[in-house]
Amino acid sequence: APDNWRKGEDGGEVYCVTYCPEVLGAEPSEEGDFGQHFSTQEQTPQICVVGSGPAGFYTAQHLLKHHSRAHVDIYEKQLVPFGLVRFGVAPDHPEVKNVINTFTQTARSDRCAFYGNVEVGRDVTVQELRDAYHAVVLSYGAEDHQALDIPGEELPGVFSARAFVGWYNGLPENRELAPDLSCDTAVILGQGNVALDVARILLTPPDHLEKTDITEAALGALRQSRVKTVWIVGRRGPLQVAFTIKELREMIQLPGTRPMLDPADFLGLQDRIKEAARPRKRLMELLLRTATEKPGVEEAARRASASRAWGLRFFRSPQQVLPSPDGRRAAGIRLAVTRLEGIGEATRAVPTGDVEDLPCGLVLSSIGYKSRPIDPSVPFDPKLGVVPNMEGRVVDVPGLYCSGWVKRGPTGVITTTMTDSFLTGQILLQDLKAGHLPSGPRPGSAFIKALLDSRGVWPVSFSDWEKLDAEEVSRGQASGKPREKLLDPQEMLRLLGH
């Protein structure tokens, strides 16, 4: 129980004043300590990871693999694990979700435990975690979206791409989103992979999605959708797009759709792409071909019969969401025409003074994700949206680390996060070896579970998740889907008998 734990004189080491074998899982030796399983930090480092997305799981995986005795507890505010692999990856990209198999192996390790339904910063503080563990790693990602900060942003019909993705991917907090898809034209602001994901889901024939894990509600809405045209708008030019060639190729080949690219946007680009790095060069060449070359007979016929279209609009920056005549919903967007200044990475878009109005009934903002501060005790840079750190060590807070998007900002794909998380794990183990982390035993989850119990918080274990997983798979089988995601946390808790 919490009352049984005391801090040492130096305010550091935490110890238990009553011996509880069922809590610590170790027998006391004749000297009266807790035996080798819990005797020194070098033998059993208790480490806590906050967040169960790719960053959290890859950090845990590295620690367990490279320290034969480390015990890692993963805390997650959702009832279910896997973060953006479950809630961010598009339903028609099931191969990307295969990484869940690796994470499951990690979670099933007898030196790893998962605690879902625990919100760090609300149910338990970071300081309480630091008191209970030798080290704490923050891997909670980027849960917010970047606001547009323009008039009309609050109108019905304007959504963040993050919320829209959460809606079709079954994120509980977005299950009531109910976007109105009765308009003809949608505008997506931003030219990254998420923008292309959203455009693709809006334009994919629904019968191509019905065998994926998209939610039933989203599939129903997409079947009724009248959206025929999607504009993907960026404030800079073709050379600065943030999407990758795989996503672009999927858009170009999307059944029943045709691309709309203005050849004028690509003038003079042929020479400039010669110096580009290979991935960027291949991407630019594909864009250039699509915009300027006459398609072959077969492709021309395919495009001519397409009932839907998508296009890239460059050198446009959102100024205002335009309301409908009755002022009750979005009916268009006013874009400032821009030009580029500076060279290389420093290139920025500046307004020319001209504007352009684009009619649309749906505006999706995809200009980036943003991390939130988790707890007043943790330093946070609101401008960069990261926890200030040096190689994953949180600045001025010994024993506190970070990995993933909260460490480096919301960029990169799952493999980028993997490399980054392994590095944080490596730094933590170096500090452990060098004696920079607290010595002596730490109570780990025994302390935290008692605290949560006293606060009426019911953590969800990994075996609980496996029951929910089996339920989702069984519900999906009825309609030939890999799973039908559970959307309501209360229903999930009921299914687990709570």
Side-chain angles (χ1 to χ4, degrees):
D3 292 347
N4 292 341
W5 296 98
R6 298 283 182 271
K7 274 197 170 186
E9 294 299 317
D10 61 354
E13 188 176 312
V14 178
Y15 60 95
C16 180
V17 293
T18 55
Y19 167 58
C20 322
E22 70 281 1
V23 170
L24 296 173
E27 294 295 329
S29 67
E30 286 177 15
E31 292 81 35
D33 66 21
F34 299 136
Q36 60 171 354
H37 296 296
F38 211 71
S39 58
T40 69
Q41 154 217 357
E42 183 55 33
Q43 285 169 313
T44 310
Q46 298 283 338
I47 302 164
C48 150
V49 171
V50 179
S52 71
F57 265 108
Y58 280 128
T59 304
Q61 183 186 319
H62 188 87
L63 295 168
L64 294 165
K65 182 179 177 183
H66 295 280
H67 194 299
S68 62
R69 306 196 50 142
H71 186 98
V72 182
D73 292 329
I74 302 173
Y75 291 89
E76 166 60 57
K77 82 170 193 176
Q78 300 291 339
L79 273 81
V80 299
F82 312 132
L84 277 186
V85 181
R86 178 177 165 97
F87 296 123
V89 174
D92 58 347
H93 284 174
E95 72 289 348
V96 182
K97 302 185 191 195
N98 289 341
V99 71
I100 284 176
N101 300 330
T102 311
F103 298 163
T104 298
Q105 292 311 112
T106 300
R108 284 177 178 161
S109 159
D110 55 6
R111 292 186 291 121
C112 185
F114 170 79
Y115 300 102
N117 197 32
V118 177
E119 186 171 346
V120 174
R122 185 193 69 184
D123 300 329
V124 61
T125 68
V126 171
Q127 186 56 57
E128 285 165 338
L129 292 175
R130 292 180 62 216
D131 288 344
Y133 291 89
H134 292 107
V136 174
V137 186
L138 303 174
S139 306
Y140 62 87
E143 296 178 286
D144 266 350
H145 69 281
Q146 296 276 10
L148 290 168
D149 292 328
I150 59 171
E153 188 175 7
E154 71 298 329
L155 284 167
V158 182
F159 301 94
S160 72
R162 186 192 185 284
F164 192 78
V165 169
W167 168 70
Y168 65 64
N169 270 335
L171 184 61
E173 68 198 57
N174 299 132
R175 69 186 191 275
E176 308 288 349
L177 199 72
D180 181 354
L181 306 181
S182 63
C183 58
D184 176 77
T185 303
V187 168
I188 301 169
L189 302 168
Q191 292 182 331
N193 279 344
V194 174
L196 262 57
D197 275 351
V198 168
R200 197 178 66 254
I201 295 296
L202 278 170
L203 294 174
T204 296
D207 56 347
H208 288 231
L209 293 172
E210 58 192 18
K211 298 296 183 222
T212 72
D213 67 359
I214 192 167
T215 66
E216 205 48 60
L219 191 58
L222 289 165
R223 283 201 177 104
Q224 304 296 315
S225 171
R226 294 186 193 161
V227 176
K228 294 281 182 281
T229 306
V230 177
W231 288 106
I232 304 157
V233 178
R235 58 198 163 84
R236 298 192 291 172
L239 278 174
Q240 288 80 32
V241 295
F243 51 73
T244 49
I245 192 164
K246 176 183 178 285
E247 275 69 21
L248 175 63
R249 198 176 282 120
E250 281 181 304
M251 285 303 296
I252 293 167
Q253 295 167 353
L254 195 61
T257 68
R258 68 180 191 282
M260 299 183 293
L261 299 176
D262 184 350
D265 287 334
F266 297 85
L267 289 172
L269 223 59
Q270 189 73 59
D271 296 330
R272 294 182 62 194
I273 61 178
K274 285 174 186 164
E275 299 92 61
R278 189 165 179 269
R280 172 69 41 176
K281 188 179 176 190
R282 287 175 59 229
L283 173 65
M284 287 303 116
E285 285 169 350
L286 179 57
L287 267 177
L288 203 58
R289 280 200 306 277
T290 309
T292 60
E293 288 182 10
K294 197 177 172 193
V297 177
E298 204 176 307
E299 178 62 9
R302 189 187 76 82
R303 290 184 191 181
S305 68
S307 60
R308 297 177 171 192
W310 61 276
L312 295 168
R313 292 291 266 271
F314 299 106
F315 310 109
R316 300 288 186 273
S317 179
Q319 268 200 335
Q320 181 188 351
V321 178
L322 303 170
S324 55
D326 62 6
R328 291 173 69 172
R329 57 170 299 106
I333 187 152
R334 179 159 295 160
L335 301 167
V337 180
T338 62
R339 60 183 166 78
L340 295 184
E341 278 187 2
I343 49 167
E345 292 296 307
T347 307
R348 52 193 198 94
V350 293
T352 61
D354 293 336
V355 296
E356 176 182 283
D357 290 352
L358 189 56
C360 62
L362 180 66
V363 178
L364 295 162
S365 157
S366 183
I367 57 169
Y369 288 69
K370 197 166 104 184
S371 292
R372 298 173 181 165
I374 193 170
D375 190 300
S377 71
V378 179
F380 189 78
D381 182 334
K383 193 166 184 294
L384 296 176
V386 296
V387 170
N389 68 91
M390 301 286 285
E391 299 185 297
R393 296 181 184 98
V394 175
V395 173
D396 297 332
V397 192
L400 189 61
Y401 300 82
C402 54
S403 66
W405 283 4
V406 78
K407 169 186 173 183
R408 68 175 195 278
T411 56
V413 291
I414 290 175
T415 47
T416 329
T417 295
M418 177 181 74
T419 312
D420 167 87
S421 305
F422 287 173
L423 287 171
T424 292
Q426 197 177 322
I427 291 289
L428 191 160
L429 292 176
Q430 281 172 14
D431 289 354
L432 183 68
K433 200 168 183 181
H436 297 323
L437 296 181
S439 60
R442 290 273 159 139
S445 62
F447 180 46
I448 301 303
K449 280 197 287 193
L451 273 182
L452 293 171
D453 190 46
S454 72
R455 291 166 187 171
V457 179
W458 194 68
V460 170
S461 69
F462 199 77
S463 61
D464 287 334
W465 150 246
E466 292 185 309
K467 289 174 197 158
L468 297 175
D469 179 38
E471 176 66 22
E472 290 188 345
V473 170
S474 132
R475 289 185 183 192
Q477 275 170 347
S479 46
K481 296 172 71 178
R483 70 177 61 243
E484 187 58 54
K485 287 178 182 171
L486 296 162
L487 308 181
D488 181 1
Q490 295 310 314
E491 185 190 5
M492 293 187 215
L493 289 171
R494 275 200 305 277
L495 286 166
L496 295 173
H498 190 71

